[in-house]
Amino acid sequence: MDRLRTPSLPLPPNPSSLFLHTLLPLFLVLTAFGPGYQTISSFAIIYFSLSVYYTRTYTRWWWLFLFYIMNSIGFMLAYMETLNDNIKNYKGLVFGIGLMVNLIILIPYIFDRIAQRKFSSDGWARIIVFPCVWTGIWTIILFSSPLGDWGNYAFILLNYGDITQLASFAGLGGINFILSWSGSIGSDIISYHVLGNQNTSTTSTSSTGSIIIDNSSSIEDNSTDTVLRIPPTRPPKNTLIFPKFINSLSIYLFILFLVITYGSIRLNTNFVPFYQQRIEDTFPHELTNFGCVLGQYSDNATDDYINLTLELAISGNKLILWSEGIAKIMSVEERDSLFESIKNISTMYNTYIGFTYLDIISLNTIYNKQVVINNKGDVVIDYKKSNLVPFDETSIITKGDNKLQTFQSEDFGIIGSAICFDFDFPKLIGQTSSKNVNLMLDSSNTWVSPVGPLHARMNTIRSIENGFTTFRCNSYGISGIWDQYGQPLHYVPTVNTSTVTFQVPIIKIKNRIKTVYSIFGETFGWICVGSIGVYLIVIVLAEKGSGHWKARINYWL
């Protein structure tokens, strides 16, 4: 194929190129309102379409660097106040985290750009490479990052209950795939239908940065493009030719339709039998009371929290949970006194009590602990927080063994427990599926920052994935009860209050929901991780392989 190279001389300004780069400040805005505390979901959809289009179209490598910087600044603005808890230079720290995260998520864009140049312009690979690599990268981050699922773009869709139900099938990986797939589709719509471009791959760059222009004889006529195209020069395949309306856009819309239908079925037909049942038949059991004891930034002594627990028990709360780390135990005598007091309350009032404290008996090994006493006065859970908040807890607290503790209760089925940040790690919370947990106790403290409301909503994904109910007691955040579909039964801000009580139907606590995710976990995400390796091999073969391999790759991709 003949190619013409432009001389290495300054190029005159291209109006369309200048217009393209006006997107850079827009990416900053779209990222700031993407993942984070002020998510605008529609901005995220626009972001993916425009960002994929931009990274496919720019002609100089430094534009990718500016794209990266804009995304990093947007990330900083999205999560600015997360670490505002007496941490010096916390804004710079958040920006540094943004630089690292956004450097990693450049990988899908680089893969996608290579795919547009190495694979057939009408093949399926150029549509599917970006969502596969994006999902694979975020799966790796999910299981390797000390931040767990924080920053995950899948949470952009938390406002869409029908779509988030996909987590029960494919986890966060499934949601990430649907979200990022819209970028490939949107980019094609912009290129071929909005701007009317014929072939975005006819202009590329050499290793020295000069533009490489294909001979006009190699340019395909895509004026009637339908996103997936069949050019006249491509070798014919002995395969079924689909009607024109079956293209990547229609396939994406069909898959999205199936996802929404699946979610709607889970949310609106989740009672068996489901068809227009009388409410008294659906909820035949009486309500039960759950109570929270909430820590305050004050000089409250441990005895004060014990007295609040006693008041909740007297008022009929069947299960009482303390928020995270509200007592500080400095000696064995203080610990034994605390245990004895809670045991007396639980046996006297037939109450399950989960209480928390910082174990500072030995200054060399400080633990963030959660202990559960059943209604017989037995210690059934004695748990040490396993996933510690970077920069805030990791320097002073010793982590636990990352093993979920559970027990069989008389009233609520199998109960498990974890502490706040633990719920951001599916490696720990995913153990609820193998242990058939009905109810998870979540003792939390989200400091004086905007973390609380978002964190409570993020944690509902764990309920959707594994099919359990969550009871969350959160100092300086949101406390409440969320069912097996991530839907709130009750929730309230708990900032300037010491106790709060919720009433819930027992059946909503005891009915564990079996999910596909509970069997296969993040298998879909790991398949996408594997696809990254496959694409690498294919790209190397397309560049360095024999003519036979290049022909096969062009034929199939």
Side-chain angles (χ1 to χ4, degrees):
M1 182 183 295
D2 293 332
R3 293 178 182 269
L4 296 177
R5 293 181 183 268
T6 60
S8 298
L9 295 174
L11 295 173
N14 185 334
S16 61
S17 177
L18 293 176
F19 174 77
L20 174 69
H21 300 308
T22 59
L23 292 175
L24 286 170
L26 181 60
F27 290 139
L28 188 155
V29 175
L30 295 178
T31 305
F33 290 95
Y37 302 113
Q38 51 280 322
T39 294
I40 301 176
S41 304
S42 58
F43 280 26
I45 302 298
I46 296 172
Y47 170 80
F48 276 102
S49 297
L50 292 179
S51 63
V52 172
Y53 172 73
Y54 181 83
T55 54
R56 288 180 178 181
T57 310
Y58 68 81
T59 57
R60 290 288 188 269
W61 68 267
W62 58 73
W63 293 117
L64 181 64
F65 176 74
L66 292 177
F67 171 75
Y68 161 64
I69 293 298
M70 290 298 175
N71 284 338
S72 299
I73 296 173
F75 182 95
M76 178 187 69
L77 296 175
Y79 289 102
M80 177 75 77
E81 297 297 319
T82 301
L83 298 175
N84 186 8
D85 183 46
N86 298 320
I87 296 178
K88 293 182 179 179
N89 301 317
Y90 70 91
K91 294 180 181 179
L93 186 57
V94 173
F95 182 59
I97 294 172
L99 287 173
M100 290 187 290
V101 170
N102 283 281
L103 183 62
I104 294 171
I105 63 177
L106 279 182
I107 295 173
Y109 291 99
I110 294 172
F111 266 81
D112 180 74
R113 184 173 172 87
I114 294 173
Q116 308 312 304
R117 285 149 176 75
K118 296 298 181 183
F119 302 148
S120 173
S121 62
D122 67 298
W124 58 267
R126 67 186 184 81
I127 293 293
I128 213 70
V129 164
F130 180 75
C132 282
V133 179
W134 176 273
T135 302
I137 290 298
W138 276 108
T139 300
I140 294 172
I141 292 174
L142 178 63
F143 285 91
S144 62
S145 168
L147 298 174
D149 60 14
W150 270 95
N152 200 300
Y153 274 68
F155 293 123
I156 288 170
L157 297 178
L158 279 174
N159 288 331
Y160 300 93
D162 291 347
I163 296 178
T164 55
Q165 295 304 307
L166 181 60
S168 70
F169 188 89
L172 288 177
I175 299 175
N176 266 313
F177 190 88
I178 290 294
L179 183 62
S180 57
W181 193 6
S182 70
S184 295
I185 302 300
S187 175
D188 268 13
I189 291 174
I190 293 170
S191 293
Y192 300 112
H193 297 288
V194 176
L195 300 180
N197 293 343
Q198 290 188 335
N199 194 337
T200 58
S201 64
T202 59
T203 302
S204 58
T205 58
S206 70
S207 59
T208 59
S210 59
I211 297 178
I212 302 173
I213 304 176
D214 288 347
N215 189 297
S216 59
S217 63
S218 68
I219 300 178
E220 300 171 6
D221 180 10
N222 294 317
S223 57
T224 59
D225 174 72
T226 55
V227 185
L228 277 179
R229 304 174 303 286
I230 303 179
T233 59
R234 189 171 185 186
K237 294 183 181 180
N238 296 322
T239 56
L240 177 66
I241 297 177
F242 293 103
K244 289 185 177 181
F245 68 85
I246 299 181
N247 52 55
S248 59
L249 176 59
S250 63
I251 292 171
Y252 177 76
L253 292 176
F254 178 69
I255 297 299
L256 187 60
F257 166 78
L258 293 180
V259 168
I260 293 173
T261 301
Y262 171 77
S264 296
I265 290 172
R266 279 178 55 84
L267 291 178
N268 298 311
T269 61
N270 53 37
F271 305 116
V272 179
F274 70 88
Y275 183 72
Q276 298 179 12
Q277 297 298 299
R278 293 162 59 90
I279 191 168
E280 57 267 36
D281 296 330
T282 303
F283 302 103
H285 302 290
E286 63 183 15
L287 301 178
T288 188
N289 291 353
F290 285 8
C292 291
V293 175
L294 303 160
Q296 304 294 311
Y297 292 154
S298 63
D299 295 327
N300 285 0
T302 301
D303 288 345
D304 296 325
Y305 295 119
I306 293 173
N307 291 333
L308 291 172
T309 304
L310 177 60
E311 292 174 6
L312 289 175
I314 292 173
S315 63
N317 286 275
K318 190 67 176 175
L319 193 157
I320 301 169
L321 181 64
W322 290 17
S323 61
E324 178 183 6
I326 63 177
K328 294 177 176 60
I329 301 301
M330 307 290 292
S331 67
V332 173
E333 291 75 20
E334 287 182 355
R335 182 192 64 192
D336 292 343
S337 175
L338 171 61
F339 273 64
E340 190 64 29
S341 298
I342 297 298
K343 287 180 179 180
N344 290 337
I345 296 173
S346 67
T347 54
M348 182 175 298
Y349 297 98
N350 193 34
T351 301
Y352 299 85
I353 302 174
F355 61 99
T356 62
Y357 62 95
L358 294 179
D359 185 339
I360 319 179
I361 296 174
S362 171
L363 293 178
N364 295 325
T365 53
I366 299 174
Y367 294 107
N368 187 343
K369 298 195 69 175
Q370 181 189 58
V371 177
V372 179
I373 307 291
N374 68 9
N375 57 341
K376 307 298 183 183
D378 302 318
V379 176
V380 288
I381 288 178
D382 190 351
Y383 173 72
K384 301 168 185 174
K385 188 175 183 179
S386 301
N387 298 281
L388 305 179
V389 179
F391 313 111
D392 191 79
E393 293 180 320
T394 50
S395 60
I396 58 174
I397 295 176
T398 303
K399 65 179 297 184
D401 58 9
N402 212 42
K403 293 182 180 179
L404 185 73
Q405 297 185 27
T406 64
F407 73 98
Q408 177 72 52
S409 70
E410 294 178 350
D411 302 280
F412 308 114
I414 298 176
I415 297 177
S417 68
I419 301 175
C420 197
F421 197 53
D422 283 326
F423 278 81
D424 297 310
F425 294 83
K427 186 175 181 179
L428 173 65
I429 305 303
Q431 298 173 34
T432 58
S433 295
S434 61
K435 298 187 177 185
N436 296 314
V437 171
N438 301 86
L439 174 65
M440 279 295 291
L441 308 181
D442 178 3
S443 298
S444 293
N445 178 7
T446 45
W447 320 313
V448 185
S449 77
V451 170
L454 176 60
H455 198 220
R457 298 177 66 213
M458 287 168 55
N459 289 170
T460 62
I461 290 292
R462 301 287 96 86
S463 288
I464 297 171
E465 290 172 341
N466 299 285
F468 57 73
T469 297
T470 300
F471 176 34
R472 176 183 178 91
C473 292
N474 185 185
S475 296
Y476 298 93
I478 304 295
S479 299
I481 302 175
W482 287 263
D483 70 11
Q484 304 90 338
Y485 304 94
Q487 301 301 296
L489 301 178
H490 293 281
Y491 69 95
V492 293
T494 43
V495 178
N496 295 311
T497 185
S498 55
T499 61
V500 65
T501 297
F502 306 102
Q503 285 190 315
V504 292
I506 293 180
I507 193 171
K508 294 293 288 183
I509 305 298
K510 297 177 68 174
N511 281 2
R512 170 179 169 73
I513 303 298
K514 192 74 172 178
T515 65
V516 174
Y517 182 92
S518 66
I519 300 172
F520 296 102
E522 288 286 344
T523 298
F524 179 80
W526 288 113
I527 290 173
C528 291
V529 172
S531 74
I532 299 175
V534 173
Y535 292 138
L536 277 173
I537 294 172
V538 171
I539 289 169
V540 171
L541 289 175
E543 182 69 23
K544 303 293 185 181
S546 65
H548 171 74
W549 278 110
K550 291 179 180 179
R552 299 305 296 175
I553 290 170
N554 183 63
Y555 184 82
W556 288 108
L557 302 179

